Amino acid sequence: MKPFYCFFIILLLFSCVQNKKEKTQVVEDKYSSSSLSYPEEIHITNIKQLTFGGDNAEAYWSFDDSRLVFQAKNDLWGAKCDQMFITDTNNYNMHTSIPDLVSTGFGRTTCSYFLPGDSTILYASTHLSDSLCPPVPERREDGKYVWPIYDSFDIFISDLKGNIIHQLTDLDGYDAEATVSPKGDKIVFTSIRSGDLELYTCNLDGTNVKQITNELGYDGGAFFSNDGSKLIFRASRPKAKDEIEEYKSLLANGLVQPTNMELFICNVDGTDLRQITSLGGANWAPFFHPSDQKIIFSSNHKSKRGFPFNLFMIDVDGSNLKQITYDNMFDAFPVFSNDGQKIVFSSNRNNGGTRETNLFIADWKD
């Protein structure tokens, strides 16, 4: 009896080890590089999933590339609407752990970015107006998709513990979408202070504000080139009378329709402004390639129904358009690491058929 009992225990232990190995293999397969990418995606390799639920977007690298700051809406993290979180770039455990909250936890936030030294970040927030999440626009009867432009957004500087240490903007109306030059000397942001949504630059302390664009339309999502000399951004340009009337009417109600946008590039002072795409649809979330000679961006110009969005790359003169990702729903917010070796982006891939948008990191291969 005793030998049989020992044999049974050994068999049971072997079975447990085998089951654990099989379960581990299932998890590894689900989140492995091969299951997260498509054969055509030759420029992104060793892809890894960083977040596992909720809506996660706009992840930006610290200057030393060791951390990411990003916005997330996730009930399990206590974020009923977008809040800012920070994580190490090699943290692949966010399916079991919550990253550090670096915003106040109140209101709604957007567009965080590291400042030089990596001990502070900036981001826009509505928390001074109301500690609750601002209302989301109701679905329109005409079915058109709109974004809210909250007039309560202002831009703040915070330490990495969530303590506000400086308020950069305090004018009435929308101030948001701030990013920082890799040179560490300037900020670019979008503001409605002129009556329209234009780009502005300022020093890191908010002084020396200069208007960069001045044409009717929504200018936003701007980023500096790696050498700090140029800006890339997406913009709508209503031309026809009915387009202008609709744009102004929506804006008066704190809304924009981001379904017809193209990419523009200019010098950091606004000179030599050029449109570099004429693809139709929504072309947005542009970012400079490490060479500063190409732009990676998200676009649905190949879609007949609004989706999918995929990543594309184009030369700064508007030539040599090339598709980078091939997801069947949504890829956006591509951002290269400062050393140019990696890329982080948001995607609906591997979400089990839900609407969850997660962060992914990959090695970049030219």
Side-chain angles (χ1 to χ4, degrees):
M1 187 71 180
K2 192 171 183 180
F4 177 79
Y5 177 76
C6 291
F7 174 76
F8 176 76
I9 293 297
I10 292 171
L11 185 64
L12 183 62
L13 288 173
F14 177 79
S15 176
C16 290
V17 170
Q18 186 66 23
N19 286 339
K20 184 177 180 181
K21 184 177 180 181
E22 289 174 356
K23 289 179 180 179
T24 301
Q25 185 65 45
V26 169
V27 172
E28 288 176 350
D29 287 347
K30 184 178 180 182
Y31 302 129
S32 69
S33 179
S34 60
S35 69
L36 299 177
S37 60
Y38 297 86
E40 303 92 338
E41 295 177 341
I42 60 175
H43 292 286
I44 53 174
T45 62
N46 192 30
I47 183 171
K48 295 180 180 179
Q49 187 167 342
L50 293 178
T51 61
F52 302 86
D55 291 314
N56 307 271
E58 297 201 57
Y60 300 113
W61 303 81
S62 58
F63 276 74
D64 68 2
D65 288 335
S66 68
R67 287 174 289 185
L68 292 168
V69 63
F70 65 98
Q71 64 192 50
K73 176 185 176 183
N74 190 327
D75 287 345
L76 296 178
W77 293 358
K80 300 294 184 182
C81 56
D82 289 333
Q83 293 294 327
M84 296 303 170
F85 295 86
I86 191 170
T87 184
D88 291 341
T89 54
N90 60 353
N91 178 13
Y92 308 119
N93 299 313
M94 283 190 279
H95 58 298
T96 57
S97 62
I98 300 175
D100 292 335
L101 176 70
V102 289
S103 54
T104 64
F106 300 111
R108 178 173 172 173
T109 65
T110 190
C111 305
S112 56
Y113 223 85
F114 277 95
L115 287 162
D118 292 336
S119 62
T120 55
I121 59 168
L122 57 73
Y123 64 92
S125 177
T126 66
H127 72 274
L128 288 187
S129 174
D130 195 332
S131 62
L132 301 178
C133 296
V136 177
E138 295 182 3
R139 185 178 180 85
R140 293 169 58 90
E141 292 183 1
D142 58 14
K144 292 182 178 179
Y145 177 62
V146 294
W147 278 351
I149 301 295
Y150 298 117
D151 60 8
S152 51
F153 264 133
D154 273 306
I155 302 170
F156 301 86
I157 293 178
S158 166
D159 65 20
L160 303 188
K161 299 295 184 181
N163 302 306
I164 300 291
I165 57 179
H166 185 53
Q167 183 173 346
L168 283 179
T169 62
D170 59 4
L171 298 180
D172 291 338
Y174 183 83
D175 289 305
E177 304 178 39
T179 64
V180 181
S181 170
K183 301 283 287 184
D185 60 342
K186 291 183 182 297
I187 294 168
V188 63
F189 64 100
T190 294
S191 177
I192 201 171
R193 61 189 62 192
S194 71
D196 191 21
L197 291 164
E198 307 288 2
L199 296 183
Y200 294 79
T201 60
C202 66
N203 294 336
L204 298 186
D205 61 0
T207 61
N208 194 28
V209 177
K210 295 181 179 179
Q211 185 171 342
I212 303 302
T213 58
N214 56 18
E215 189 172 346
L216 185 69
Y218 178 16
D219 299 345
F223 293 91
F224 290 89
S225 57
N226 294 283
D227 66 5
S229 68
K230 296 186 182 300
L231 294 170
I232 183 70
F233 62 98
R234 45 104 175 121
S236 63
R237 285 291 181 263
K239 298 296 185 183
K241 182 179 179 181
D242 60 334
E243 293 175 341
I244 293 173
E245 289 177 351
E246 182 178 38
Y247 173 78
K248 289 183 175 180
S249 175
L250 286 172
L251 193 59
N253 289 284
L255 301 170
V256 291
Q257 188 178 342
T259 51
N260 187 10
M261 297 186 293
E262 300 292 348
L263 303 186
F264 293 76
I265 193 171
C266 66
N267 293 330
V268 74
D269 62 359
T271 59
D272 194 24
L273 176 63
R274 296 177 287 115
Q275 182 174 336
I276 64 170
T277 63
S278 297
L279 299 172
N283 303 279
W284 64 306
F287 200 83
F288 277 94
H289 179 271
S291 68
D292 279 343
Q293 299 305 305
K294 300 175 183 292
I295 304 295
I296 192 169
F297 64 102
S298 180
S299 177
N300 67 349
H301 72 275
K302 284 190 171 183
S303 171
K304 296 181 180 179
R305 59 185 182 90
F307 283 88
F309 279 88
N310 273 296
L311 302 184
F312 294 81
M313 187 166 281
I314 196 169
D315 289 357
V316 293
D317 64 1
S319 63
N320 296 322
L321 179 68
K322 182 177 184 179
Q323 188 165 347
I324 302 299
T325 65
Y326 290 81
D327 190 54
N328 59 9
M329 283 302 294
F330 181 82
D331 287 335
F333 304 113
V335 180
F336 287 104
S337 58
N338 292 289
D339 65 8
Q341 300 300 305
K342 293 184 179 293
I343 190 169
V344 65
F345 63 100
S346 298
S347 179
N348 286 157
R349 64 184 66 198
N350 200 42
N351 66 3
T354 67
R355 294 186 177 183
E356 294 175 348
T357 302
N358 286 299
L359 299 179
F360 296 81
I361 192 170
D363 295 335
W364 176 259
K365 182 179 179 181
D366 279 325

